Amino acid sequence: PSSASTSSESQLSSEKPQVCVLIDGDCLGPGHWPSILREIRKYRKVKEVKIFAAPGVTGAKLWQDTVKSVGGEFVCVPRYTVGSKDPNDIAIGAHAAIAGRKNLAVALAVHDADFASLAHILVKEGMEVVAVMPSTAIGVQGAFKKVQVNVLQYIPPGTVGA
């Protein structure tokens, strides 16, 4: 019996974890989401797609239709009148930690070099992290590459060749 459980444990540990995709909707709107998911699905099986945005925009028809088409869910992030840190950034960081507790890899679909620090911490804690961003975000990509995080690129909407 113990050898059977050891065999099954080794099979599970050799499987790559599914991905939780965390999209910063403040920077990457609905036009980006299909391309983001297309690139990530080439990389790994997607388990969860969470799109972070202010409550006011999540009710727009385009946003509702697009979130359904990509199989995602909104995370409405309240905006308070005090403080200066972007509340989406904080919510994405919290959800990345939650994904780790679920043994999921994390795909950060962002357009902000500040997330490279989050990615670096998650990797140091043993999580698999990949960044997904427009091919035009060369400087932001560099920040992730400096902390040894793989970057997946997509052609953003409205770009020649998209």
Side-chain angles (χ1 to χ4, degrees), residues 12 23 28 31 39 48 52 92 107 117 121 123 137 147 158 161:
L12 287 174
I23 300 174
L28 304 171
E39 287 306 313
E48 299 176 358
F52 297 79
I92 290 169
S117 177
I121 292 166
V123 168
V147 296

Side-chain angles (χ1 to χ4, degrees), residues 58-142:
T58 59
K61 182 170 178 18
L62 174 64
W63 286 62
Q64 290 292 330
D65 291 347
T66 309
V67 78
K68 286 178 190 170
S69 76
V70 299
E73 68 177 277
F74 281 122
V75 177
C76 293
V77 182
R79 305 309 201 232
Y80 301 107
T81 58
V82 296
S84 61
K85 185 64 185 150
D86 184 342
N88 262 18
D89 292 7
I90 295 166
I92 290 169
H95 281 265
I98 292 167
R101 292 188 61 174
K102 295 178 180 179
N103 294 317
L104 296 173
V106 172
L108 296 170
V110 298
H111 198 280
D112 183 343
D114 289 351
F115 285 104
S117 177
L118 168 66
H120 183 67
I121 292 166
L122 295 173
V123 168
K124 282 177 51 179
E125 290 299 315
M127 289 180 65
E128 182 179 350
V129 180
V130 63
V132 187
M133 60 194 61
S135 57
T136 55
I138 305 301
V140 179
Q141 292 174 27

